[in-house]
Each structure stands twice: as C-alpha cells, then as structure tokens.
Amino acid sequence: IDLPDKRTVVLNIPKGTQPNTVFSINGRGLPNRQTGRSGNILVKILGEVPKDLSENDLEKIEQIRRKTHWHF
C-alpha cells in the first residue's frame, strides 16, 4: 500500500477475510493540523476472498504468486 509519505507497507490479509472488512494501519496517515500527530490509514477490502479452499487450490495460488512475484 502506498502511503502519503511516499513509503510503502505490505498488509497481510488473513485467509477468509470478507468484503467490506476494514484494516487500520496506525500512525501512518496524514498529520493532524492541530497536534501534528499522524493519523491512521484505513484499508477497506473490496474483493472477495474464499473461506474454504482445498489444499490443491492453495497450491495453485502459491504457484501463481511465485510466478508473478505477488505479495499476498
């Protein structure tokens, strides 16, 4: 995830996470004008992640990840 400070963080999404789940990355958002403290980044999951995958399905996903260098 690209952050406002031009840095990047990796968000590990747990197996079975469903659409509209919101994750918070604490202290990495935009600074508050009054306090100067950084806010949080909220990440809303829009894609659907299957709850029940077979071992064969997981292996296929892992093969795709290795070939494409995806980080998930």
Side-chain angles (χ1 to χ4, degrees):
I1 298 172
D2 295 329
L3 301 176
D5 62 4
K6 306 288 190 238
R7 293 182 185 184
T8 301
V9 295
V10 174
L11 176 64
N12 293 315
I13 301 171
K15 284 190 230 180
T17 299
Q18 293 303 298
N20 298 317
T21 300
V22 177
F23 293 96
S24 179
I25 303 172
N26 297 329
R28 300 300 298 266
L30 296 173
N32 181 302
R33 289 183 182 176
Q34 295 174 348
T35 66
R37 291 179 57 200
S38 292
N40 299 336
I41 297 284
L42 299 178
V43 179
K44 185 174 186 179
I45 304 303
L46 299 177
E48 188 168 341
V49 180
K51 289 182 181 180
D52 301 313
L53 292 173
S54 69
E55 288 297 320
N56 189 36
D57 293 337
L58 292 171
E59 179 56 35
K60 287 178 183 176
I61 292 170
E62 180 61 22
Q63 288 173 0
I64 292 169
R65 187 193 68 76
R66 277 190 240 121
K67 284 183 180 179
T68 60
H69 305 290
W70 284 358
H71 298 285
F72 59 86

